[in-house]
Amino acid sequence: MPKVIYIEHNGTAHEVEVADGYSVMEGAINNAIPGIDGDCGGSCACATCHVYVDPAWLAKTGERSEMEESMLDFAAEVEENSRLGCQIKMSAELDGLIVRMPEAQH
């Protein structure tokens, strides 16, 4: 199973396995990772799973969709590497993915 390394705003890291096909947001929620809320349940209807993808992984996570771009307008401190965790689906190619959480999701 691929692993994701979630890094909280304060630097605390959590390495967890996330099954293929599950999203980065689902992996965080299922493993009680602090810093990702996922208020809409993963339907790309909010920005409470905002993460910063480590630059080494950006190309592998794909491009933002138009809907994701719209939802990121509601997130604070959006950067070039900002993504919604619900829109990144895990696969073997993403084993070791590193994402950082913003200071706040609201």
Side-chain angles (χ1 to χ4, degrees):
M1 214 177 324
K3 291 182 176 140
V4 178
I5 301 166
Y6 298 89
I7 302 174
E8 294 181 53
H9 182 72
N10 67 11
T12 303
H14 307 269
E15 183 175 321
V16 298
E17 292 182 339
V18 180
D20 281 356
Y22 278 74
S23 71
V24 167
M25 183 274 304
E26 289 171 310
I29 299 299
N30 292 344
N31 289 283
I33 305 296
I36 294 182
D37 297 337
D39 288 347
C40 74
S43 60
C44 197
C46 71
T48 62
C49 63
H50 175 213
V51 296
Y52 302 111
V53 175
D54 187 88
W57 290 94
L58 268 179
K60 292 183 180 179
T61 59
E63 298 289 322
R64 297 179 193 161
S65 69
E66 190 173 315
M67 178 68 115
E68 185 177 0
E69 290 277 357
S70 276
M71 291 300 104
L72 281 168
D73 286 343
F74 297 102
E77 301 179 30
V78 173
E79 302 289 339
E80 289 295 319
N81 61 335
S82 289
R83 292 291 308 272
L84 296 181
C86 68
Q87 298 302 296
I88 302 171
K89 300 294 183 195
M90 291 305 298
S91 64
E93 293 79 33
L94 293 179
D95 185 28
L97 175 66
I98 300 168
V99 296
R100 291 174 173 78
M101 276 79 85
E103 186 170 7
Q105 292 288 358
H106 298 279

